[in-house]
């Protein structure tokens, strides 16, 4: 198997979904839209702007339809929305979404906790959603707990492959994102699992990694995946984030940290780091937010010395 | 070139030197010795316990001879001391040091700032020191600014190789450590430079990496070096550290983060993480210290949830 390290990568900004969802004080819709404008102004294109889920489960994102509507006036944005089932996926499309990310967990315990279904039931939800999608809607498939589960610990690679055996044929052109929900994946694991998956499913044209930085391994895992040929990475501005269903799993990889790393490696992201750092600094000030990352501090310190 | 990923690595604890040196309030000698005992109690063996340098330059480490003497009563410790020239190297040996780390910088600007010499003059210092060493003294060679210089930016790989051409023959069995003084190395750079150096100098039996986490890339760089076959890594408990001569270069890689990563990868370190975390938590409380790292927080959070 020949690995081609991508000379250009796509960073998907997931802060407005994964970063915001665990923040308790409601972020005013106008502020959300203002952040979207600023993020897209730095060169970011695809942004996960929210999710279509139960308002009760994630009240912070109850204005996703409104935010999505506002995206029509933000030039260049490719708004992606997250959904865990057919019903909310249909709602997303009806609200005008052209990029739907469907999420299920590899681990049964996590999937049951998250959406009260066995992963195989979620596969059927995905099948029904795909059948219902009109033409022109792009699909991303998020496999939560691809490496580790907050309830059951390390997830076997075989389990991920077996689930993909069912999922990939349903929509082979879907982008597939392996998610390190707990941040406990190590880079050799990331390397090995992507190598296996990419080898087994050559029909999948785009692979992605959603890394968390809870244990400091976010960038190491992104590097390992890039080194294996993965070209798409999720990140959250200011490192905002955490998973409300994974105790202790705070800390998305910070978008500015990723942009820094790729810039140092000579890999194109299309994002202007100097423009991004001030947005990240403001993002870190969102009341109730849990920011992370290092580059924001390092570059701010460099400016003041 | 065949790369063998080490199944066992050695972590060199450099907190008592690199971590302490930029701390202004003097850490009482007894407290330093107490930390050494506790660190060695976690399974750490080699510890950079201080440096023989001008007391004026680094007053925090003025008690290094006393700390070194106390190591005779700490079972299992392999105390390493840092020195930048022949004179202080001789003093280290006279004080009983059996493991001397000689430091010079690849970048002329950094070496002049650090020791007021051209790097070639430091090569001659090293040559004289090696000639003066009695039998039974191990040697580590630290190449500061092997990737990036706080004054001159990115350091060319050719410069590192050219300096090693002069240095390696002086003492081929010295351990050679490439140091990312500013934390601005990226993992592809680490991978490339070690690949070149290891290929060119097969007579060097031990390579090491000294990584900083200033921009969040510490663990990614360690992973890249390990992936290339490097078996020795510097780290600082609680992530204490920074370089007093490199503005903004705060943040050594935290020992506990490294131990965590390697444990998750099934790579032996011989260190008990559960025993290390409380020592790191206490290290983070040293007045005037600048702690870093993620695992200390993540594991403490996990315990309280």
């Amino acid at each position: 198997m020949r690995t081609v390290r991508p000379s250009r990568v796509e960073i998907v900004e997931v802060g407005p979904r994964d970063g915001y969802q665990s923040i308790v004080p409601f972020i005013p819709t106008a502020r959300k839209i203002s952040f979207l404008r600023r993020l897209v102004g730095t060169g970011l294109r695809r942004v996960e702007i929210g999710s279509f889920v139960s308002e009760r489960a994630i009240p912070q994102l109850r204005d996703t339809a409104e935010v999505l509507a506002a995206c029509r006036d933000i030039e260049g944005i490719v708004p992606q929305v997250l959904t865990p089932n057919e019903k909310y996926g249909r709602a997303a499309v009806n609200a005008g979404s052209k990029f739907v990310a469907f999420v299920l967990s590899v681990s049964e315990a996590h999937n049951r906790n998250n959406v009260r279904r066995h992963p195989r039931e979620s596969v059927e939800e995905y099948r029904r959603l795909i059948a219902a999608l009109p033409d022109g809607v792009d699909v991303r498939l998020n496999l939560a707990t691809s490496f580790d589960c907050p309830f059951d610990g390390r997830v076997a690679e075989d389990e991920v492959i077996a689930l993909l055996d069912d999922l990939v044929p349903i929509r082979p052109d879907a982008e597939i994102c392996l998610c390190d929900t707990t941040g406990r994946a190590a880079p050799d694991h990331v390397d090995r699992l992507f190598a296996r998956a990419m080898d087994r499913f050559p029909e999948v044209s785009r692979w992605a990694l959603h890394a968390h930085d809870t244990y400091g391994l976010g960038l190491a895992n992104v590097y390992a995946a890039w080194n294996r040929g993965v070209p798409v990475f999720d990140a959250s501005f200011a490192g905002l984030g955490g998973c409300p269903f994974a105790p202790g799993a705070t800390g998305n990889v910070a978008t500015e940290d990723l942009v820094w790393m790729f810039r140092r490696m000579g890999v194109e992201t299309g994002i202007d780091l100097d423009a991004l750092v001030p947005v990240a600094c403001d993002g870190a000030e969102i009341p109730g937010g849990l920011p992370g990352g290092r580059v924001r501090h390092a570059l701010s310190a460099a400016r003041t010395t």
Side-chain angles (χ1 to χ4, degrees), chain A:
Chain A
M1 180 183 173
R2 194 169 154 272
T3 295
V4 180
R5 295 163 152 196
S7 60
R8 184 182 174 88
V9 296
E10 181 181 9
I11 296 179
V12 180
E13 172 58 54
V14 299
R17 195 277 304 172
D18 202 10
Y20 293 171
Q21 70 181 10
S22 53
I23 296 176
V24 174
F26 187 70
I27 305 165
T29 306
R31 191 160 190 215
K32 287 175 181 162
I33 294 166
S34 162
F35 269 121
L36 288 184
R37 279 190 199 286
R38 294 178 69 196
L39 288 165
V40 171
T42 71
L44 281 158
R45 287 293 164 260
R46 184 148 41 125
V47 184
E48 196 162 270
I49 58 122
S51 58
F52 281 80
V53 288
S54 151
E55 281 190 25
R56 220 164 358 111
I58 308 192
Q60 179 62 259
L61 301 179
R62 63 179 183 263
D63 58 354
T64 293
E66 203 180 331
V67 173
L68 179 64
C71 288
R72 287 189 210 117
D73 298 325
I74 302 175
E75 204 181 312
I77 195 170
V78 179
Q80 172 178 300
V81 298
L82 189 77
T83 185
N85 63 28
E86 182 200 358
K87 179 182 119 188
Y88 283 114
R90 283 177 181 269
V93 170
N94 289 340
S97 182
K98 300 285 185 200
F99 211 129
V100 172
F102 181 89
V103 60
L104 80 170
S105 306
V106 179
S107 141
E108 181 181 341
H110 193 259
N111 207 61
R112 286 199 184 281
N113 188 77
N114 226 347
V115 293
R116 301 178 203 294
R117 281 173 185 78
H118 190 280
R120 300 287 156 185
E121 294 175 82
S122 286
V123 170
E124 296 314 312
E125 287 280 349
Y126 177 63
R127 193 188 306 279
R128 288 193 295 274
L129 173 61
I130 293 300
L133 286 184
D135 285 348
V137 175
D138 278 322
V139 175
R140 130 90 70 121
L141 188 54
N142 276 347
L143 264 67
T145 66
S146 282
F147 304 92
D148 184 80
C149 166
F151 310 109
D152 291 338
R154 187 182 288 254
V155 171
E157 291 164 38
D158 286 347
E159 266 192 78
V160 181
I161 299 295
L163 199 61
L164 284 172
D165 277 338
D166 289 347
L167 288 164
V168 170
I170 296 174
R171 176 129 175 191
D173 73 343
E175 175 178 272
I176 295 182
C177 183
L178 304 185
C179 305
D180 178 21
T181 307
T182 64
R184 294 164 71 101
D188 67 317
H189 190 173
V190 170
D191 177 55
R192 210 164 44 237
L193 183 57
F194 273 108
R196 269 189 76 175
M198 293 165 96
D199 191 47
R200 186 174 180 93
F201 305 103
E203 66 271 41
V204 172
S205 56
R206 276 192 315 182
W207 292 92
L209 173 67
H210 178 99
H212 276 205
D213 198 37
T214 321
Y215 297 81
L217 287 172
L219 291 174
N221 289 335
V222 169
Y223 171 73
W226 171 84
N227 198 41
R228 183 51 71 186
V230 173
V232 182
F233 298 97
D234 288 0
S236 176
F237 73 113
L240 286 170
C243 174
F245 308 112
T250 54
N252 278 282
V253 171
T255 310
E256 57 276 15
D257 288 17
L258 261 195
V259 173
W260 167 269
M261 179 175 82
F262 282 122
R263 192 171 79 169
R264 294 293 292 180
M265 300 194 333
V267 174
E268 283 284 323
T269 63
I271 298 162
D272 178 346
L273 184 61
D274 291 337
L276 179 59
V277 168
V279 187
C281 288
D282 291 346
E285 301 298 322
I286 292 175
L290 195 58
R294 302 296 295 251
V295 165
R296 187 165 45 88
H297 299 295
L299 292 186
S300 305
R303 266 175 204 155
T304 56
T305 52

